[in-house]
Amino acid sequence: MPRYLSLIRIDEQNTPAEGPSPELMERMGALLEEVTKAGVMLDTAGLTPTSEGTRVTWSGGKLSYTDGPFTESKEVIGGYAIMQCKDKAEALEWTKRFLQIHEDFWTVTAEVREIAEG
């Protein structure tokens, strides 16, 4: 079965300062339990803020390093999920369900891509 990567993009400047609400975390926990029991979820995690990250760039035959935060980025990767699904439609369905558990004030985008094998 193919594997899919769901990249979760957030506007880091407009997320609640206190983080996700307890209710959101409860809904997320229930969904993650369901997707794991269904044998779909292989790995998932949130990421630390860009202020704690470093970008490594290869250009002109040289490496450069830029420490976060990356102020030029409005939308950043806030987390990911690796799922094994029968097809892209199933991966999109699980991703849709993940997005819909968020409160209305969140702006969350997911990019779903099949992982190239071999």
Side-chain angles (χ1 to χ4, degrees):
M1 274 203 302
R3 294 180 303 151
Y4 293 87
L5 174 65
S6 180
L7 294 170
I8 308 304
R9 297 180 186 273
I10 60 170
D11 179 351
E12 200 172 48
Q13 305 304 316
N14 290 315
T15 58
E18 66 280 359
S21 68
E23 295 82 13
L24 172 57
M25 294 307 294
E26 186 177 315
R27 290 190 303 272
M28 193 175 300
L31 180 61
L32 290 176
E33 183 177 331
E34 182 182 351
V35 71
T36 300
K37 283 182 179 177
V40 171
M41 185 62 69
L42 300 178
D43 190 25
T44 189
L47 301 175
T48 59
T50 60
S51 61
E52 299 175 27
T54 301
R55 285 187 179 158
V56 182
T57 303
W58 174 257
S59 179
K62 296 181 182 179
L63 286 173
S64 64
Y65 300 85
T66 306
D67 290 330
F70 311 117
T71 55
E72 69 279 4
S73 299
K74 179 172 171 43
E75 200 174 64
V76 299
I77 298 172
Y80 69 92
I82 299 175
M83 302 174 286
Q84 190 161 25
C85 301
K86 64 182 182 224
D87 55 26
K88 188 174 183 180
E90 182 184 13
L92 289 171
E93 179 62 27
W94 284 111
T95 300
K96 175 190 85 170
R97 290 184 59 196
F98 172 78
L99 293 176
Q100 290 177 324
I101 65 172
H102 289 78
E103 292 95 353
D104 291 343
F105 58 84
W106 283 85
T107 299
V108 185
T109 303
E111 179 180 337
V112 178
R113 296 172 60 185
E114 186 173 347
I115 297 173
E117 304 288 352

